[in-house]
mmCIF file of all heavy atoms in Angstrom:
data_model
loop_
_atom_site.group_PDB
_atom_site.id
_atom_site.type_symbol
_atom_site.label_atom_id
_atom_site.label_comp_id
_atom_site.label_asym_id
_atom_site.label_seq_id
_atom_site.Cartn_x
_atom_site.Cartn_y
_atom_site.Cartn_z
ATOM 1 N N THR I 1344 -10.382 4.882 30.391
ATOM 2 C CA THR I 1344 -9.054 4.349 30.062
ATOM 3 C C THR I 1344 -9.100 3.092 29.209
ATOM 4 O O THR I 1344 -8.108 2.746 28.564
ATOM 5 C CB THR I 1344 -8.273 4.042 31.352
ATOM 6 O OG1 THR I 1344 -9.036 3.128 32.154
ATOM 7 C CG2 THR I 1344 -8.018 5.315 32.144
ATOM 8 N N GLY I 1369 -40.595 10.273 15.708
ATOM 9 C CA GLY I 1369 -40.980 10.649 14.361
ATOM 10 C C GLY I 1369 -40.625 12.074 14.008
ATOM 11 O O GLY I 1369 -41.226 12.677 13.110
ATOM 12 N N ILE I 1375 -31.279 19.307 16.596
ATOM 13 C CA ILE I 1375 -30.740 19.068 17.937
ATOM 14 C C ILE I 1375 -29.825 20.245 18.254
ATOM 15 O O ILE I 1375 -28.930 20.573 17.472
ATOM 16 C CB ILE I 1375 -29.969 17.743 17.994
ATOM 17 C CG1 ILE I 1375 -30.920 16.577 17.744
ATOM 18 C CG2 ILE I 1375 -29.261 17.584 19.324
ATOM 19 C CD1 ILE I 1375 -30.218 15.255 17.556
ATOM 20 N N GLY I 1381 -17.730 26.511 27.377
ATOM 21 C CA GLY I 1381 -16.494 26.046 27.988
ATOM 22 C C GLY I 1381 -16.656 25.656 29.444
ATOM 23 O O GLY I 1381 -15.839 24.914 29.978
ATOM 24 N N GLY I 1395 -41.085 10.027 34.916
ATOM 25 C CA GLY I 1395 -40.312 9.833 36.131
ATOM 26 C C GLY I 1395 -39.922 8.388 36.333
ATOM 27 O O GLY I 1395 -38.782 8.075 36.716
ATOM 28 N N ALA I 1555 -26.081 -5.922 4.484
ATOM 29 C CA ALA I 1555 -25.606 -5.150 5.633
ATOM 30 C C ALA I 1555 -26.163 -3.737 5.624
ATOM 31 O O ALA I 1555 -25.765 -2.916 6.456
ATOM 32 C CB ALA I 1555 -24.071 -5.094 5.647
ATOM 33 N N ARG I 1558 -23.938 1.241 2.054
ATOM 34 C CA ARG I 1558 -23.679 1.985 0.827
ATOM 35 C C ARG I 1558 -22.445 2.839 1.079
ATOM 36 O O ARG I 1558 -22.149 3.227 2.216
ATOM 37 C CB ARG I 1558 -24.869 2.865 0.463
ATOM 38 C CG ARG I 1558 -25.272 3.842 1.556
ATOM 39 C CD ARG I 1558 -26.458 4.686 1.149
ATOM 40 N NE ARG I 1558 -26.812 5.641 2.209
ATOM 41 C CZ ARG I 1558 -27.668 6.642 2.042
ATOM 42 N NH1 ARG I 1558 -28.245 6.820 0.868
ATOM 43 N NH2 ARG I 1558 -27.936 7.448 3.050
ATOM 44 N N THR I 1575 -7.000 1.821 6.571
ATOM 45 C CA THR I 1575 -8.251 1.939 7.307
ATOM 46 C C THR I 1575 -9.284 2.625 6.430
ATOM 47 O O THR I 1575 -8.944 3.304 5.460
ATOM 48 C CB THR I 1575 -8.056 2.740 8.599
ATOM 49 O OG1 THR I 1575 -7.551 4.049 8.277
ATOM 50 C CG2 THR I 1575 -7.089 2.037 9.539
ATOM 51 N N ALA I 1701 14.654 -12.634 -18.332
ATOM 52 C CA ALA I 1701 15.910 -12.466 -17.600
ATOM 53 C C ALA I 1701 15.568 -12.056 -16.179
ATOM 54 O O ALA I 1701 14.833 -11.093 -15.960
ATOM 55 C CB ALA I 1701 16.785 -11.399 -18.266
ATOM 56 N N ARG I 1717 18.220 -12.122 -33.133
ATOM 57 C CA ARG I 1717 18.022 -13.522 -33.521
ATOM 58 C C ARG I 1717 16.545 -13.916 -33.487
ATOM 59 O O ARG I 1717 16.211 -15.093 -33.592
ATOM 60 C CB ARG I 1717 18.830 -14.426 -32.589
ATOM 61 C CG ARG I 1717 20.328 -14.147 -32.620
ATOM 62 C CD ARG I 1717 21.063 -14.965 -31.572
ATOM 63 N NE ARG I 1717 20.933 -16.403 -31.814
ATOM 64 C CZ ARG I 1717 21.701 -17.108 -32.638
ATOM 65 N NH1 ARG I 1717 22.656 -16.494 -33.323
ATOM 66 N NH2 ARG I 1717 21.532 -18.397 -32.790
ATOM 67 N N ARG I 1777 45.599 -13.029 -21.598
ATOM 68 C CA ARG I 1777 46.619 -12.454 -20.718
ATOM 69 C C ARG I 1777 46.251 -11.024 -20.324
ATOM 70 O O ARG I 1777 46.459 -10.605 -19.186
ATOM 71 C CB ARG I 1777 47.980 -12.458 -21.421
ATOM 72 C CG ARG I 1777 48.557 -13.848 -21.639
ATOM 73 C CD ARG I 1777 50.057 -13.779 -21.942
ATOM 74 N NE ARG I 1777 50.360 -12.914 -23.089
ATOM 75 C CZ ARG I 1777 50.381 -13.321 -24.360
ATOM 76 N NH1 ARG I 1777 50.106 -14.588 -24.649
ATOM 77 N NH2 ARG I 1777 50.690 -12.477 -25.328
ATOM 78 N N ASN I 1848 33.423 -10.244 -30.498
ATOM 79 C CA ASN I 1848 32.594 -10.375 -31.697
ATOM 80 C C ASN I 1848 33.478 -10.296 -32.931
ATOM 81 O O ASN I 1848 33.980 -9.227 -33.302
ATOM 82 C CB ASN I 1848 31.536 -9.264 -31.727
ATOM 83 C CG ASN I 1848 30.584 -9.411 -32.890
ATOM 84 O OD1 ASN I 1848 30.610 -10.414 -33.619
ATOM 85 N ND2 ASN I 1848 29.735 -8.412 -33.087
ATOM 86 N N VAL I 1865 50.297 -2.722 -27.576
ATOM 87 C CA VAL I 1865 49.177 -1.956 -28.117
ATOM 88 C C VAL I 1865 47.927 -2.833 -28.175
ATOM 89 O O VAL I 1865 46.831 -2.401 -27.822
ATOM 90 C CB VAL I 1865 49.528 -1.410 -29.518
ATOM 91 C CG1 VAL I 1865 48.315 -0.728 -30.138
ATOM 92 C CG2 VAL I 1865 50.698 -0.433 -29.419
#
Side-chain angles (χ1 to χ4, degrees):
T1344 57
I1375 295 171
R1558 57 180 181 169
T1575 58
R1717 300 174 63 84
R1777 292 197 304 272
N1848 184 7
V1865 175

